[in-house]
Amino acid sequence: MSLLQRTVKLVLATVLAIGLADWAGLAYTTSAGIIAILSVLDTRRSSFKIARQRFLSALMALAIASFLFATLGFGLPVIALYMALYVPLAYRFGLESGIPPITVLVLHLYLEKSIAMSWLWNELALFLIGAGVALVLNLYMPSKQKEIDAYHTKVEEQLKAILLRFHEFLLKGDGTNEGVLIDELDEVLSQAQNLVYLDHNNHLFHQTNYQVHYFDMRMDQSKLLRQMAINVNSCHLESRESVILAHLFHETAQQLSQENPAKTLLDDISDFRELFRQRPLPQSRDEFETRAVLFQLLNDMERFIQLKVDFYEEYQNS
C-alpha cells in the first residue's frame, strides 16, 4: 500500500467511523475513529484476523471489567486489578492486539461509573463501527500483478546472465564476477518473495500458491547456481567435455521462461551424460579432477532443471 493510498484510507476511516458513531447517537465517538485508524492494515487477511482478535478481546475485557466494577466499585485500584487480569489473559489467548483500543473502551465505563447495558452497548458499538469501516475500506487493495510480472522478467534475465557467464567461462575462461550476479539475483528474489507474500495475503478466496512457489523454486535454483559457480571456477583445463557443458548452459539460458516446461533439457542432459561416458579416460590427475568437476556440474544442472520441471507439472494449468 502506497503512502497516498494509506493516507486516503486513514482519513476516510477516521471521518466515516466518527460520523457513523455520531449518527448512531453514541458517546465518545472519537474512539470509533481511533479504532478505525488502528484497523487499517496492509492486507485484507491481516485486517480480518486483527478485527476478529480485537472483537474477542473486547468481549473478554468488557466481561472482566463489568464483573470487577459490579463487585468492587469504580475506584482506581479496580482499574489496576482489571489490567492485571485482562493483559495476561489477552496474551495467553493471542488477543494482545486488542489491549490498547479495548482498554480505552473500558475506561469509558470507569469515567461514567456505570455498567448499564446501554453503556456496554455503546462501547461495543464503537468497536464494531470503527473496525467495520476499516474492513470495508480494506476490501480495496491495488493489484500487485504488474509488479510481480516485472519481477518474473527480471529474475529470468538474471538467471540467463549467470548461465551465459558460466558458458563463457567454460569456453574462454571469463567468469570472474558471476558471484556478484548471484548476489544480485538473491536480492531480487527476496524482494519478489516479500511482494508475493503481501499479495497472497490480500486474497481471501480463490487463491493459489503459484507465485509463492514460483519464486521459492527460483530461490532453490539460485542456491544451486552458487555451488555451481564454485565448481565452474575450478575448471582450468580446456576439454571437449567443457565445450559440451558450455553448450548445455547456453541452451538452458535460451529456454529460460516461466511457461517453458524444460523437459527437453532433461533429455539433453541424458545425451550429454552418455557422451561423457564415451569420451576417452583422463590421462593425468588434472584431467581427472576437471572431468570429475564437470560431471558434478552436469548433475547440478540436472537438479536445476528438474526443479523447474517439477514446478511446471504442478502448476501447468495455472
Side-chain angles (χ1 to χ4, degrees):
M1 195 188 314
S2 69
L3 178 60
L4 176 60
Q5 292 164 344
R6 178 178 289 279
T7 301
V8 171
K9 281 191 178 185
L10 288 175
V11 170
L12 288 176
T14 304
V15 172
L16 288 174
I18 293 175
L20 284 174
D22 282 332
W23 175 80
L26 301 176
Y28 301 103
T29 55
T30 55
S31 294
I34 294 172
I35 291 172
I37 290 173
L38 295 174
S39 300
V40 174
L41 303 175
D42 289 327
T43 68
R44 295 190 189 108
R45 185 176 294 184
S46 62
S47 297
F48 277 88
K49 179 181 178 181
I50 293 299
R52 175 183 173 276
Q53 290 177 352
R54 287 176 177 165
F55 177 69
L56 295 175
S57 188
L59 295 179
M60 182 171 66
L62 291 174
I64 292 172
S66 296
F67 174 77
L68 293 177
F69 289 149
T71 55
L72 301 175
F74 291 90
L76 192 57
V78 178
I79 292 295
L81 181 57
Y82 153 77
M83 293 295 293
L85 293 174
Y86 168 58
V87 172
L89 286 173
Y91 275 98
R92 171 65 178 81
F93 294 107
L95 307 176
E96 63 273 11
S97 63
I99 292 175
I102 304 308
T103 298
V104 171
L105 301 182
V106 169
L107 290 176
H108 293 164
L109 301 179
Y110 170 75
L111 292 173
E112 294 297 328
K113 302 292 190 290
S114 174
I115 55 170
M117 188 58 66
S118 59
W119 279 110
L120 291 173
W121 165 246
N122 183 89
E123 305 315 312
L124 194 57
L126 288 174
F127 169 79
L128 292 173
I129 289 173
V133 167
L135 287 176
V136 170
L137 291 175
N138 260 12
L139 288 176
Y140 169 73
M141 286 289 180
S143 174
K144 303 291 185 182
Q145 192 58 49
K146 286 186 178 180
E147 295 175 66
I148 292 172
D149 289 342
Y151 273 115
H152 275 282
T153 301
K154 192 169 184 178
V155 165
E156 287 167 8
E157 288 175 349
Q158 289 185 287
L159 283 169
K160 182 177 180 179
I162 294 167
L163 290 170
L164 290 177
R165 188 59 55 87
F166 289 169
H167 166 261
E168 291 174 6
F169 184 87
L170 290 175
L171 292 182
K172 307 173 186 177
D174 177 20
T176 55
N177 68 340
E178 71 275 353
V180 175
L181 293 177
I182 296 172
D183 289 340
E184 293 173 356
L185 172 62
D186 285 346
E187 178 62 26
V188 172
L189 283 169
S190 179
Q191 295 170 3
Q193 286 177 317
N194 290 337
L195 180 63
V196 296
Y197 277 111
L198 180 66
D199 188 67
H200 183 74
N201 285 328
N202 275 328
H203 296 280
L204 298 176
F205 309 104
H206 307 298
Q207 60 180 323
T208 71
N209 293 318
Y210 175 86
Q211 300 292 357
V212 173
H213 287 170
Y214 174 82
F215 288 106
D216 285 347
M217 178 269 294
R218 292 303 192 193
M219 184 64 82
D220 289 338
Q221 287 184 321
S222 179
K223 293 175 183 176
L224 275 173
L225 289 175
R226 190 172 295 279
Q227 180 59 44
M228 290 163 67
I230 297 172
N231 288 330
V232 166
N233 285 331
S234 67
C235 295
H236 301 296
L237 294 179
E238 294 184 6
S239 66
R240 175 59 182 164
E241 290 80 5
S242 295
V243 175
I244 292 172
L245 196 55
H247 176 72
L248 177 61
F249 283 134
H250 187 272
E251 283 299 306
T252 304
Q254 297 306 316
Q255 295 188 41
L256 268 177
S257 166
Q258 181 182 175
E259 295 81 14
N260 190 344
K263 290 183 179 179
T264 58
L265 291 171
L266 288 180
D267 295 334
D268 290 342
I269 286 179
S270 296
D271 294 339
F272 289 145
R273 184 175 281 111
E274 185 59 30
L275 282 174
F276 271 41
R277 292 193 179 100
Q278 294 175 3
R279 295 290 299 161
L281 293 175
Q283 300 301 308
S284 68
R285 180 183 180 86
D286 286 343
E287 288 180 359
F288 178 83
E289 290 176 350
T290 298
R291 179 82 64 89
V293 170
L294 291 171
F295 197 79
Q296 180 60 49
L297 282 169
L298 187 63
N299 290 334
D300 288 340
M301 273 301 293
E302 183 174 37
R303 287 196 293 272
F304 179 91
I305 296 167
Q306 188 66 54
L307 285 169
K308 178 61 191 301
V309 171
D310 292 343
F311 173 82
Y312 183 85
E313 289 179 347
E314 182 176 358
Y315 288 103
Q316 58 185 324
N317 295 322
S318 297

